[in-house]
Amino acid sequence: MTTVEDAYAHCTRITREQARNFHYGIRLLPPAKRSALCAVYALARIIDDIGDDLARSSEAKLQGLAEVRKSLAELSTSTDPVYVAVADAARRHPIPLGAFEELLDGVEMDVTGREYVRFEELVEYCRCVAGSVGRLCLGVFGSRPDAAAPGYADELGIALQQTNILRDIREDLRNGRVYLPKEDLNRFGVELAIGADGNLADPGGGLTALIHDSAARARDWYTRGLRLVPFLDRRSAACCTAMSGIYRTLLDRIDEQPSRVFDRRLSLSGREKAVVAARALTGIGR
């Protein structure tokens, strides 16, 4: 039988090994909240991995997502360590478990190959796959009572997902996915393609211009989402600021030189992430 302690330890290992950016913020939390957020991350990771598994057929992915839904419905009786940890975390913190259902909805959009014509449609997707995670995190953080706080958490998650989309244009295209709205591609005269050299093609500079425009729009979402920070206690605020700071720094790098994402999956070094986290903890973070 899996003990709660073993379950949390299992989730902590998953987070340490796979949360390349979030782990820098999570470790700023006090132990109880850190463990709870690791449990949330571990389940979100399971869901994401199903959608990203190139070895699975679409039917198998949808079946896997359905099995997660079933496990969520039977959370209190599960013996799987991730679900055991999530169940305990939900007893200790006001975690909105329904947000996992939204995350599942968003991953199903990936599996079924949904296309995005307008930016508003992309926002709906971002709200499912990332706004949901923002609200799950808020459940662990806790906040001063305010009806606006979940909305701010939602907007911050959407900002982070917009950054992910700009970072991963090439990788997503190679996997048959396009998240940039068709109206934006048409407005800048962009036809996404990978050249003979394996890099994103940008013969007329339209893609570069689109990335600049999209980065400016994403910054507006960060501004809106970071209104959450004053509602959090110091350690939770530091965690939130560190995680968002890493992604905002990444967005700045992309905006400074969009061609950085034409041939690679851009990331910050471990040292750079640690500096952002340290500034967040000392209140220097942006």
Side-chain angles (χ1 to χ4, degrees), residues 111-172:
V111 174
T112 57
R114 179 171 177 177
E115 295 183 343
Y116 304 97
V117 176
R118 297 178 298 110
F119 177 69
E120 290 76 14
E121 295 170 345
L122 181 63
V123 168
E124 178 188 353
Y125 166 76
C126 293
R127 180 168 286 112
C128 285
V129 298
S132 61
V133 177
R135 283 175 271 120
L136 288 163
C137 290
L138 179 61
V140 175
F141 293 157
S143 68
R144 289 194 285 108
D146 193 291
Y152 298 152
D154 198 61
E155 290 170 332
L156 189 55
I158 292 170
L160 268 62
Q161 188 63 25
Q162 289 180 66
T163 304
N164 277 338
I165 288 169
L166 294 178
R167 178 194 61 188
D168 295 339
I169 296 172
R170 176 176 174 269
E171 180 180 349
D172 288 333

Side-chain angles (χ1 to χ4, degrees), residues 169-248:
I169 296 172
R170 176 176 174 269
E171 180 180 349
D172 288 333
L173 186 60
R174 288 167 67 95
N175 291 328
R177 295 177 180 175
V178 174
Y179 293 100
L180 298 175
K182 285 188 176 180
E183 66 177 9
D184 288 352
L185 293 170
N186 293 338
R187 181 157 53 98
F188 288 95
V190 175
E191 184 173 344
L192 286 177
I194 295 176
D197 58 0
N199 301 339
L200 285 171
D202 190 24
L207 181 56
T208 294
L210 185 156
I211 290 173
H212 284 313
D213 184 76
S214 298
R217 183 166 58 195
R219 284 197 188 89
D220 289 339
W221 283 85
Y222 278 108
T223 298
R224 292 155 62 176
L226 285 168
R227 291 178 294 180
L228 173 67
V229 173
F231 292 90
L232 306 178
D233 64 75
R234 179 176 176 270
R235 296 282 288 275
S236 296
C239 175
C240 179
T241 304
M243 291 191 291
S244 61
I246 288 169
Y247 279 87
R248 289 178 74 198

Side-chain angles (χ1 to χ4, degrees), residues 36 39-40 43-44 47 68-69 71-76 82-105 128 132-133 135-140:
V40 166
L43 181 49
I47 297 169
V68 174
R69 289 188 193 274
S71 295
L72 278 168
E74 301 169 352
L75 194 61
S76 62
V82 172
Y83 292 100
V84 169
V86 169
D88 185 76
R91 284 191 291 268
R92 297 173 185 271
H93 306 277
I95 296 173
L97 293 176
F100 283 116
E101 296 284 350
E102 294 178 61
L103 177 55
L104 286 159
D105 291 342
C128 285
S132 61
V133 177
R135 283 175 271 120
L136 288 163
C137 290
L138 179 61
V140 175

